[in-house]
Amino acid sequence: MSKPTDPAYHWNGAELDLDAYLARIGFDGERAPTVETLRKLVRAHTTSIPFENLEILLDRPILLDLKSLQDKLVRRRRGGYCYEQVGLFAAALERLGFGVTGLSARVTMGASEGVRPATHALLRVTTADDDRVWLCDVGFGSGPLEPYELSTETGEFTAGEWRFRLEHTTDELDGDLWVLHQFGRDGWIDRYTFPMTPQYRIDFAVGNHFVSTSPRSPFTTRPYVQRFLPDVHRVIDGVTMVTDRPDGTAETRLIEPSDLPKILSEEFDIDLTDADATALAAGSWRTT
């Protein structure tokens, strides 16, 4: 059966300003659909573009069309959450000739009760020089810094100094289900589960609507910002700032809303306009 040709199944890579995107993430390697290029792209993107939900708190929609993504994440050098980052990264991979398929994951983070919605986006990627299948997760905010192989043999792996583990299991209908675990301040926890069901831009648009508008979404109630680097992971969650390190140690401190713009600029590489900085620092989101 031939692959879908309807543009709705693809990622609009032809519309991407590839030079601007690669300059944004500091990539100057070979522009070829190889494993080595994929590794360098994932690392460059993950460590260059922060995770953030600030547009929601500033009462603006999260737009997923490629023009809006390029304007926000590339031209204005802002960050975004998974649907934004994955949409931009998928367009770049498609433009470079990689095989790209969207996937959705259920974020668990160690929770043992209830079924959470599938609201995290990641990518299944293939290359021209290798038969292996890779998972790329540039939009979770905490790595991995590299693609990881989709294989029952993968098990525990490191990306830089950060530790992860991939587990293969089955769902209630005996279909393939994969679990990504990560090591951090609470030891090993399951991060999310995902099947191999292809997801398209329209599916990500539905998930994006929920996480950006629902009162049940954590992203509609407080700032949630992350900056992930090879040796440190910084997180703002409301008025708490956490600094995590690969060995599982962490530091936590409270911050004032009035300090947010300065912290965002100095620690997260997010520079807001004066109007947005004033609105965020006012802390009106604390009453929601």
Side-chain angles (χ1 to χ4, degrees):
M1 185 175 183
S2 62
K3 294 182 179 180
T5 57
D6 188 320
Y9 288 95
H10 301 292
W11 303 95
N12 294 333
E15 300 176 12
L16 178 71
D17 184 341
L18 186 61
D19 289 341
Y21 167 72
L22 295 179
R24 168 71 170 97
I25 65 172
F27 176 88
D28 60 358
E30 183 183 14
R31 300 187 183 188
T34 65
V35 174
E36 183 62 22
T37 295
L38 183 63
R39 288 195 176 104
K40 291 179 178 178
L41 286 169
V42 171
R43 188 180 186 91
H45 183 114
T46 304
T47 57
S48 298
I49 303 181
F51 181 108
E52 52 135 311
N53 69 329
L54 303 178
E55 293 295 280
I56 300 171
L57 303 180
L58 294 168
D59 200 27
R60 289 195 287 262
I62 301 297
L63 303 175
L64 299 184
D65 64 282
L66 190 57
K67 181 179 179 181
S68 297
L69 294 178
Q70 290 187 102
D71 178 63
K72 182 187 178 190
L73 277 66
V74 177
R75 187 183 67 82
R76 292 192 284 132
R77 302 183 67 83
R78 287 281 302 279
Y81 58 33
C82 66
Y83 292 115
E84 299 169 277
Q85 301 221 25
V86 165
L88 182 65
F89 194 66
L93 294 183
E94 184 179 77
R95 176 72 170 272
L96 290 168
F98 291 93
V100 186
T101 302
L103 299 173
S104 284
R106 298 183 190 276
V107 178
T108 52
M109 295 306 290
S112 59
E113 296 182 359
V115 177
R116 296 186 177 186
T119 55
H120 178 57
L122 64 157
L123 296 173
R124 177 190 185 276
V125 180
T126 56
T127 68
D129 67 332
D130 196 297
D131 291 333
R132 289 174 291 181
V133 174
W134 301 94
L135 278 299
C136 296
D137 189 359
V138 298
F140 198 81
S142 57
L145 288 168
E146 299 175 3
Y148 58 97
E149 186 181 357
L150 181 68
S151 169
T152 57
E153 303 299 319
T154 296
E156 184 174 339
F157 64 97
T158 59
E161 297 182 26
W162 302 91
R163 298 166 62 190
F164 301 89
R165 186 174 73 247
L166 183 64
E167 176 189 0
H168 177 251
T169 183
T170 57
D171 61 22
E172 62 181 291
L173 297 178
D174 294 324
D176 287 332
L177 189 69
W178 300 83
V179 186
L180 183 69
H181 303 258
Q182 68 179 66
F183 181 82
R185 74 185 89 118
D186 298 316
W188 283 104
I189 64 169
D190 51 288
R191 182 158 111 174
Y192 51 62
T193 67
F194 58 97
M196 285 293 105
T197 306
Q199 300 288 289
Y200 305 104
R201 285 183 287 117
I202 187 63
D203 300 311
F204 287 173
V206 173
N208 178 60
H209 177 73
F210 175 83
V211 298
S212 64
T213 64
S214 172
R216 296 179 58 194
S217 167
F219 297 156
T220 62
T221 60
R222 65 195 191 279
Y224 194 69
V225 187
Q226 301 182 78
R227 187 79 167 88
F228 190 64
L229 297 171
D231 61 345
V232 66
H233 174 218
R234 294 187 176 90
V235 182
I236 291 176
D237 186 351
V239 293
T240 301
M241 182 169 171
V242 181
T243 301
D244 287 306
R245 301 194 183 278
D247 63 1
T249 59
E251 304 160 11
T252 302
R253 65 185 177 96
L254 295 179
I255 59 177
E256 294 293 332
S258 58
D259 293 331
L260 270 173
K262 183 174 186 291
I263 295 171
L264 289 171
S265 178
E266 293 180 352
E267 303 288 351
F268 294 84
D269 293 331
I270 296 173
D271 292 313
L272 302 174
T273 65
D274 290 344
D276 286 351
T278 299
L280 191 66
S284 60
W285 44 268
R286 297 189 70 176
T287 64
T288 61

